[in-house]
């Protein structure tokens, strides 16, 4: 499925800031930014990525902040209050 088809089906651009502990220095935190099209509110792609992180990477996750925005939306209709003619 193409990205446009996903967006038309309700997928949204999802950005996650993943703050994790450095494996060699657990007292230090570092951030990683992940961004993909995902389906809100369950976020299956993000959950799959976080499961991969927990299973395969050494840095323990401290916090995840998620934002999501629809890129394709219905057109917004505005009524004009003033009308004029050029010629």
């Amino acid at each position: 499925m193409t990205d446009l088809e996903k967006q038309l089906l309700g997928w949204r651009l999802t950005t996650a800031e993943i703050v994790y502990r450095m494996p060699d220095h657990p007292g230090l935190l570092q951030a990683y930014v992940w961004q993909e099209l995902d389906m809100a509110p369950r976020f299956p792609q993000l959950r799959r990525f976080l499961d991969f992180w927990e299973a395969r990477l050494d840095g323990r996750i401290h916090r995840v902040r998620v934002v999501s925005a629809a890129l394709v939306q219905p057109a917004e209709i505005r009524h004009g209050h003033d009308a004029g003619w050029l010629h």
Side-chain angles (χ1 to χ4, degrees):
M1 185 178 333
T2 67
D3 286 347
L4 179 59
E5 290 171 328
K6 286 181 180 180
Q7 291 175 47
L8 292 174
L9 292 173
W11 290 59
R12 299 167 163 255
L13 181 63
T14 303
T15 305
E17 178 191 38
I18 302 164
V19 178
Y20 64 96
R21 297 193 180 278
M22 298 286 292
D24 297 338
H25 305 282
L28 296 177
L29 297 174
Q30 188 159 355
Y32 177 81
V33 176
W34 175 92
Q35 190 173 55
E36 289 285 334
L37 288 175
D38 209 349
M39 182 65 85
R42 294 185 182 243
F43 302 109
Q45 302 284 33
L46 177 58
R47 288 180 183 271
R48 189 174 303 123
F49 178 75
L50 293 175
D51 289 343
F52 166 81
W53 184 299
E54 290 287 329
R56 306 253 172 117
L57 301 180
D58 291 333
R60 199 175 85 219
I61 294 175
H62 175 69
R63 159 180 90 227
V64 177
R65 181 181 309 164
V66 179
V67 293
S68 182
L71 298 177
V72 176
Q73 299 176 351
E76 184 177 312
I77 298 174
R78 293 182 184 164
H79 298 284
H81 296 289
D82 298 318
W85 297 92
L86 290 175
H87 290 271

